[in-house]
Amino acid sequence: MSELESMRLDKWLWCARFYKTRSLAVEEIGKGRVTVNQANAKASREIRPGDVIQLRQGNVPKEVIVRGLSGMRGPAPVAQQLYEETAESIAKREQLAEQRRLAPEPSAALAAMHTGRPTKRDRREIDRVQSPRNSGWGDRWSASIDD
């Protein structure tokens, strides 16, 4: 960490390893997914230690307090010293992870649904269930002489 007083928001997000590139950071800021001190921000916004930043990494919301500034992107352990995640943010992130863990597997619902046309066996089963009586070949209505 250097003796910088302030730096651009997009550069800090990149240096702190929240986003892989500065252009991704700029894109997320432009979509309104990053706020500084509860206010929408532009990529060129100057941030200082003590500022509170709310952001989303994928579907995970985070709230961090800026603890330091760095002029270059370094290894992850060094980048983690640039910020401190709030206790509320950690609790909310863990709660969301638990909800995702307990949620039903989406593929199970797809496997349970039978889509497309019924097969010949399916049609026979449908006919058997829907028929008021177990109709056989001779039970069908027809215009016959026997009536």
Side-chain angles (χ1 to χ4, degrees):
M1 292 184 287
S2 66
E3 299 300 321
L4 298 171
E5 290 183 18
S6 67
M7 71 184 302
R8 289 176 55 107
L9 174 60
D10 61 337
K11 188 170 182 179
W12 185 84
L13 289 170
W14 173 72
C15 288
R17 293 186 165 263
F18 286 106
Y19 300 107
K20 195 170 186 177
T21 63
R22 277 183 69 181
S23 61
L24 282 176
V26 170
E27 187 177 319
E28 292 296 305
I29 294 166
K31 290 179 181 177
R33 295 181 181 159
V34 179
T35 61
V36 178
N37 297 329
Q38 307 277 327
N40 287 337
K42 293 183 178 179
S44 60
R45 161 97 186 237
E46 293 289 319
I47 62 164
R48 293 171 174 74
D51 286 345
V52 178
I53 299 176
Q54 293 89 14
L55 59 106
R56 274 193 5 223
Q57 283 185 296
N59 291 333
V60 180
K62 289 186 178 181
E63 183 177 78
V64 298
I65 301 169
V66 178
R67 293 292 179 215
L69 305 174
S70 174
M72 61 182 198
R73 183 178 169 108
V78 174
Q80 289 171 351
Q81 294 174 359
L82 297 178
Y83 63 90
E84 176 187 339
E85 190 170 3
T86 62
E88 298 86 20
S89 175
I90 294 170
K92 187 173 182 180
R93 192 163 41 90
E94 288 173 352
Q95 179 186 12
L96 288 172
E98 183 68 15
Q99 286 176 352
R100 280 193 307 273
R101 189 181 69 78
L102 296 175
E105 180 65 34
S107 62
L110 293 176
M113 287 183 14
H114 182 72
T115 57
R117 292 179 59 180
T119 63
K120 192 171 187 177
R121 177 182 289 171
D122 292 338
R123 286 195 307 272
R124 286 181 181 155
E125 183 66 22
I126 290 168
D127 288 344
R128 187 183 65 74
V129 171
Q130 288 181 348
S131 174
R133 54 193 159 109
N134 288 338
S135 61
W137 176 256
D139 294 339
R140 294 181 182 227
W141 178 86
S142 64
S144 64
I145 304 173
D146 299 348
D147 291 339

